[in-house]
Amino acid sequence: MSNHDEQAEQQKPLSLKPQAHTHPPAKLRKKRPRSKRSFWAWLIGVPLEIVGFLFLLLLTLVYLVRLPSIQTFIVAQAIGYVSAKTETRITADSIYIDVFDKLYFENLYVEDWDCDTLLYAEKLALGIHSFDIWKQALHLKSLDADGLYVNLHREKGEMLNINYVLSGLSSKKSGEAATDTTAKPVKNSSIKPSITAERLHLRRLRFGLDDGESLTQLAIHLREIDLQLHGFDIADRCFEFDRVLLDQPVVSLRIGDKPDKPDKPSTDIVHITPKGWTFDARQLQLRDGAFALTDEGGDTTWHEGNINFKKLRVSRLEGNATNLHVANDTIFAASIQLAAREQSGFDLQRLQSSPMTFTARGFELQNLYLQTPNSRLGDYLQMKYRTLEDFSDYFVNRVRFKARFTPKSVFKFRDINYFADDISREPYLQHNLDLPIYVHGEIGDKVNNISARKASIGIGNTRIEGDFSINGLPDVKSSFIDCKITRLTTSVAEIRKILPPKVRQKIPAQIDPLGNIAFNGSFTGFPSNFVAYGDFKTNIGQIKSDLKMDLRSKAKYSGDIAATDFALGTLLHQKDLGNITFSANVDGQGFNLNELLADIDARVERVAYKGYTYQNINIDGNFDRKFFSGDLAINDPNVNVDYFKGTVNFNTATPELNFKTAINRLDLRQWDCYRPNKKNNLDG
């Protein structure tokens, strides 16, 4: 037969009907001559002939199997069997078998029971390692696909379309798929089909899931996915990868609005993988990925500067992970690196953790390094929540966190505002969104009830060290603060810079001379109504206080206060008044003599006035602006007054006194009011 005739024969349509075979009548068969070989020749020759025959038979089979017509016949029988078992339409434009080592398909199409696409592949190549028909076990060396499309869907109350197809494979006879479409497939007690593979390489992958039961739509597009498998067994529901490469994955998830959605968010565990399935990867690489989430059950309005977890749009996803384990609701990695950007503007330049654990109820990042354009944080972070919805609607008062920060950690409230937009509406924080906050120590609990232990916080040139708790954030002015401060350094200028403009205007200029301030002690109360106990060191002296301060309108104070060499005249802008050392119990308001209203019970160890330092003065009275009324006793080397009761008016250039007194000693020569050679009068 010529080559042309052979090609024409190969192009004839293949008939899958077995051909009838005829044999000549027995009487026409010729008798074979009896062999006259010796026993040894027969003993040696027969096995050689058998081997030769088998070799020729094998070559013939290899040749026949490589013929397209034979391959088409073999695969057509197999496809026909699977199609009949699953009651599913399966077609392929061309098929090629390389001596049962590799199987190639072009335009492979698998249809589901709804006459819709279940699977389609432009090109599919299977590298077959072994196939055990009795154990129904197929081991693949490789699976390569180009232009692969998988389409899964189900209506409410039904199974996924792929389950109906697979149920046909497990039934004993063709057509024994479940008649009750709402029932779960019955497990077959016989041998389960098993498929294992060593490597999967997929290009231009598309995966779609439309779940009418949960009103969820999932779409995945990948430019390339390369999976080097350590173990893969469908029967055992496990995947073990040596290496996973995901190139340009684009994942889109849409969650529909459920009309019967409960008022409270569901606390049901959300499984990341199908129940019972596990995925392990020794190494995973993610390149140039994207993720989109739309939850139609909430407000999907997008605002720049705030992440809306009901409408996430993440791009520039880059990542690496080692020893990754994914099962049920848990993701674990021995180490992970991740970078991403969200449409709100939040730019995660680098997130590094070893190890990392993520579940549906929380996550933990150890040996953490987190970097954004505004923040650099390390080295531990843990968050716990009931559902992921807590991040969008209840972040401030439901998400619990525990963090441990290294000395060089710094953040800005602008990054916090991406997750809790209430911050930008709080005047105290709105004014400081871009102010670097340096933090070191352990901080935890919830944002609205935050606490810290052995913490160090730096805001501009202000630094606080100690233990503290703040209840009520992000509303700073209504937050209750309890601090045990081992060291605080700041200045009046820094305080003015941190406070919002409206609050800054209420701070009297009279306190500016305090300059740099150092404090150790405790602070309990609200920012404008608190108790301060401890030691203050300022540019004009040292103060020890146990004072209750109320700064909500005019400055009010009550409690005990003591000062050492404090420049009271500088604070009150009275040039005749110098340094003072005293201890007192006060109850009043105002720091300016023009506004001062206070009851005072004080012991003045020393005070300088008009160039003379008075000693040992006891005062019990009250100030009404520049007018003093009360009792006074002095035991000074130059003046000894056992009893003084009256008033002192500081409204005049020279104070006017009106009093009753008992004076034991009075040396006028020490006073500026004494003039030699002049008449000095004392009226009383």
Side-chain angles (χ1 to χ4, degrees):
M1 183 183 292
S2 65
N3 292 336
H4 177 77
D5 294 336
E6 182 179 357
Q7 293 176 1
E9 181 68 23
Q10 293 177 3
Q11 293 176 1
K12 291 181 180 179
L14 175 66
S15 174
L16 302 183
K17 181 178 180 181
Q19 300 293 325
H21 298 279
T22 58
H23 302 280
K27 62 181 181 179
L28 298 178
R29 297 177 189 169
K30 296 181 179 181
K31 293 184 178 180
R32 297 181 181 179
R34 190 180 294 271
S35 175
K36 297 181 179 180
R37 286 184 297 179
S38 67
F39 171 78
W40 296 107
W42 180 87
L43 183 64
I44 296 173
V46 169
L48 290 177
E49 290 177 356
I50 293 174
V51 171
F53 172 76
L54 293 176
F55 181 72
L56 290 174
L57 179 62
L58 179 62
L59 289 179
T60 303
L61 290 175
V62 169
Y63 173 76
L64 292 174
V65 167
R66 294 178 66 90
L67 293 176
S69 57
I70 300 298
Q71 292 182 359
T72 303
F73 174 79
I74 294 173
V75 177
Q77 294 298 314
I79 289 179
Y81 172 77
V82 176
S83 180
K85 287 282 289 182
T86 60
E87 299 183 6
T88 302
R89 181 188 173 200
I90 303 175
T91 64
D93 285 356
S94 63
I95 303 164
Y96 174 71
I97 303 175
D98 187 1
V99 197
F100 292 106
D101 178 56
K102 286 188 178 180
L103 183 61
Y104 298 90
F105 295 89
E106 287 190 4
N107 297 324
L108 176 65
Y109 173 79
V110 179
E111 192 175 83
D112 63 15
W113 285 12
D114 295 323
C115 300
D116 195 2
T117 302
L118 175 61
L119 182 145
Y120 173 78
E122 291 183 15
K123 295 180 180 179
L124 179 64
L126 303 178
I128 302 173
H129 181 274
S130 62
F131 175 64
D132 190 329
I133 191 171
W134 304 110
K135 294 183 179 180
Q136 300 184 39
L138 173 64
H139 180 65
L140 301 176
K141 289 191 297 185
S142 63
L143 187 154
D144 292 87
D146 191 359
L148 180 64
Y149 173 51
V150 179
N151 178 33
L152 305 181
H153 63 83
R154 68 169 172 174
E155 299 295 331
K156 186 175 181 179
E158 296 185 359
M159 297 187 300
L160 287 172
N161 56 344
I162 191 173
N163 286 344
Y164 290 106
V165 175
L166 295 179
S167 64
L169 289 175
S170 61
S171 61
K172 297 179 180 179
K173 296 180 181 180
S174 177
E176 283 190 4
T179 56
D180 182 4
T181 59
T182 62
K184 295 182 179 180
V186 179
K187 293 183 179 181
N188 193 355
S189 59
S190 61
I191 298 175
K192 298 179 180 179
S194 174
I195 301 177
T196 58
E198 297 176 7
R199 182 175 180 268
L200 277 70
H201 188 200
L202 313 177
R203 292 174 296 275
R204 297 186 298 130
L205 169 67
R206 292 184 299 147
F207 174 84
L209 171 63
D210 189 352
D211 188 355
E213 184 70 34
S214 62
L215 299 181
T216 300
Q217 294 178 333
L218 174 66
I220 301 176
H221 296 245
L222 285 100
R223 180 177 179 271
E224 180 183 9
I225 176 171
D226 190 3
L227 309 174
Q228 295 181 3
L229 287 96
H230 181 73
F232 163 49
D233 197 326
I234 290 181
D236 293 336
R237 299 182 178 184
C238 67
F239 289 82
E240 295 182 18
F241 303 101
D242 286 326
R243 180 177 178 269
V244 176
L245 170 63
L246 304 176
D247 188 17
Q248 295 183 9
V250 179
V251 180
S252 177
L253 177 62
R254 180 178 294 274
I255 303 174
D257 185 13
K258 298 180 180 179
D260 54 348
K261 182 175 63 175
D263 296 335
K264 295 183 179 180
S266 172
T267 57
D268 294 340
I269 296 293
V270 178
H271 288 262
I272 301 169
T273 65
K275 189 175 181 181
W277 286 80
T278 61
F279 297 83
D280 294 279
R282 295 179 180 178
Q283 182 181 0
L284 181 142
Q285 183 180 6
L286 171 65
R287 296 193 306 218
D288 194 18
F291 174 74
L293 168 66
T294 302
D295 187 350
E296 298 176 346
D299 182 10
T300 57
T301 306
W302 171 73
H303 299 287
E304 186 174 0
N306 176 244
I307 297 176
N308 185 350
F309 285 88
K310 299 292 185 181
K311 190 175 184 179
L312 280 174
R313 296 294 183 271
V314 181
S315 59
R316 304 182 193 175
L317 267 169
E318 303 282 345
N320 289 281
T322 61
N323 295 331
L324 181 69
H325 174 76
V326 184
N328 298 325
D329 69 323
T330 301
I331 300 176
F332 172 84
S335 66
I336 186 172
Q337 290 186 4
L338 187 66
R341 181 179 176 83
E342 213 276 331
Q343 65 174 350
S344 60
F346 180 69
D347 188 2
L348 180 61
Q349 295 176 327
R350 183 182 179 188
L351 186 150
Q352 179 178 316
S353 174
S354 57
M356 180 277 295
T357 305
F358 175 88
T359 72
R361 297 288 175 85
F363 64 83
E364 182 182 40
L365 304 172
Q366 301 182 45
N367 299 310
L368 167 70
Y369 179 75
L370 186 150
Q371 179 178 337
T372 74
N374 303 312
S375 305
R376 296 185 306 275
L377 298 174
D379 65 340
Y380 178 84
L381 178 63
Q382 179 191 75
M383 287 193 175
K384 294 182 178 180
Y385 38 82
R386 297 189 300 176
T387 70
L388 290 175
E389 291 186 6
D390 288 350
F391 276 91
S392 57
D393 298 330
Y394 314 98
F395 178 80
V396 170
N397 54 18
R398 284 192 180 175
V399 177
R400 292 184 178 273
F401 74 96
K402 180 181 179 181
R404 183 175 60 248
F405 298 112
T406 56
K408 295 183 179 180
S409 295
V410 59
F411 72 94
K412 294 181 180 179
F413 279 110
R414 184 168 296 280
D415 278 348
I416 306 297
N417 186 65
Y418 285 114
F419 299 90
D421 62 339
D422 292 345
I423 287 178
S424 62
R425 295 192 288 270
E426 168 53 46
Y428 284 87
L429 299 179
Q430 183 185 42
H431 178 66
N432 297 294
L433 285 179
D434 294 310
L435 184 66
I437 312 294
Y438 295 87
V439 58
H440 173 216
E442 297 182 2
I443 300 177
D445 213 336
K446 295 179 287 188
V447 172
N448 70 343
N449 189 28
I450 193 171
S451 62
R453 190 171 65 88
K454 296 180 180 179
S456 174
I457 299 175
I459 307 173
N461 292 323
T462 297
R463 182 164 293 276
I464 306 173
E465 297 177 4
D467 301 339
F468 67 86
S469 64
I470 305 176
N471 189 310
L473 289 175
D475 186 1
V476 175
K477 64 181 180 181
S478 300
S479 296
F480 184 83
I481 304 170
D482 185 8
C483 297
K484 292 178 177 60
I485 300 171
T486 56
R487 179 171 174 263
L488 181 150
T489 57
T490 186
S491 67
V492 175
E494 278 295 308
I495 294 173
R496 290 184 183 277
K497 188 185 298 183
I498 294 172
L499 295 176
K502 290 184 179 180
V503 179
R504 185 189 311 160
Q505 295 171 0
K506 296 180 180 180
I507 298 179
Q510 285 78 10
I511 70 169
D512 289 349
L514 293 174
N516 296 322
I517 301 171
F519 173 77
N520 69 284
S522 63
F523 179 100
T524 306
F526 301 92
S528 57
N529 185 17
F530 58 87
V531 174
Y533 173 82
D535 296 328
F536 290 88
K537 292 181 180 179
T538 73
N539 287 357
I540 59 175
Q542 182 175 346
I543 298 175
K544 185 173 183 178
S545 75
D546 186 4
L547 282 176
K548 179 180 179 181
M549 303 286 293
D550 186 350
L551 306 177
R552 285 173 291 186
S553 54
K554 293 183 178 181
K556 297 179 181 180
Y557 41 84
S558 62
D560 297 326
I561 184 170
T564 302
D565 292 328
F566 188 76
L568 184 60
T570 302
L571 179 66
L572 300 178
H573 299 278
Q574 297 294 317
K575 63 180 181 178
D576 293 335
L577 188 61
N579 289 3
I580 184 172
T581 299
F582 73 95
S583 61
N585 179 270
V586 296
D587 186 0
Q589 67 179 43
F591 296 103
N592 190 324
L593 276 179
N594 295 320
E595 300 176 349
L596 183 63
L597 299 172
D599 295 328
I600 182 170
D601 182 4
R603 182 183 183 278
V604 180
E605 183 178 333
R606 58 184 178 271
V607 60
Y609 182 72
K610 286 196 173 183
Y612 179 77
T613 301
Y614 296 87
Q615 302 178 39
N616 302 322
I617 303 173
N618 293 325
I619 302 173
D620 185 6
N622 64 80
F623 279 93
D624 186 351
R625 297 171 180 84
K626 292 184 178 182
F627 191 85
F628 172 78
S629 173
D631 299 336
L632 181 146
I634 305 175
N635 186 14
D636 184 83
N638 296 300
V639 57
N640 183 284
V641 179
D642 285 341
Y643 173 78
F644 178 100
K645 186 176 181 64
T647 61
V648 181
N649 187 356
F650 293 96
N651 287 292
T652 59
T654 301
E656 296 180 355
L657 289 78
N658 183 9
F659 58 89
K660 293 179 181 181
T661 186
I663 301 176
N664 296 328
R665 183 175 61 256
L666 182 62
D667 188 350
L668 297 179
R669 290 174 299 178
Q670 302 298 325
W671 294 359
D672 187 54
C673 61
Y674 176 77
R675 297 289 185 272
N677 303 320
K678 289 187 178 182
K679 184 177 180 179
N680 295 278
N681 296 322
L682 180 63
D683 297 330

